[in-house]
């Protein structure tokens, strides 16, 4: 199901382009900079999760827990704004 005719058209164009290039339909191409940015953000999220996990094995103060959870939310929020968009040739 598509949100509208424009989305349906973009999906058709994507399928036609990948088919013409001999690529499987589920291939996604991203630039090195986009991939590096995604990997950086995922690393930040992983570190924030590890910090929370470590803190939970200790007896954290309320302030320590709030700071660690705030860092985690901040890391997640940056990923929340990531959208892969199609580029036209």
């Amino acid at each position: 199901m598509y949100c509208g005719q424009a989305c349906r058209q973009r999906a058709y164009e994507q399928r036609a382009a990948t088919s013409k290039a001999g690529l499987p339909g589920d291939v996604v191409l991203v630039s090195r900079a986009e991939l590096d940015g995604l990997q950086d953000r995922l690393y930040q999220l992983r570190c924030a999760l590890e910090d929370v996990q470590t803190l939970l094995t200790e007896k954290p103060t309320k302030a320590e827990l709030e700071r660690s959870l705030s860092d985690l939310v901040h890391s997640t929020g940056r990923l929340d704004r990531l959208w892969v968009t199609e580029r036209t040739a």
Side-chain angles (χ1 to χ4, degrees):
M1 178 169 272
Y2 299 97
C3 61
Q5 185 58 35
C7 290
R8 180 185 302 265
Q9 181 65 29
R10 297 295 87 74
Y12 167 78
E13 291 169 0
Q14 173 67 28
R15 287 190 307 273
T18 55
S19 176
K20 183 177 178 181
L23 299 171
D26 62 348
V27 167
V28 177
L29 301 174
V30 296
S31 71
R32 171 54 61 186
E34 290 168 324
L35 179 60
D36 290 346
L38 175 60
Q39 288 175 322
D40 287 346
R41 286 182 262 176
L42 288 172
Y43 179 75
Q44 290 171 356
L45 178 58
R46 189 181 100 211
C47 289
L49 284 168
E50 288 175 357
D51 290 346
V52 169
Q53 288 175 324
T54 299
L55 192 61
L56 290 175
T57 63
E58 303 166 356
K59 293 186 179 183
T61 65
K62 182 180 178 189
E64 290 171 327
L65 191 53
E66 286 174 347
R67 185 181 67 246
S68 188
L69 290 173
S70 177
D71 290 344
L72 177 60
V73 169
H74 177 74
S75 295
T76 304
R78 292 187 67 194
L79 286 172
D80 184 14
R81 291 186 292 274
L82 173 68
W83 290 99
V84 176
T85 56
E86 183 177 338
R87 290 189 179 169
T88 56

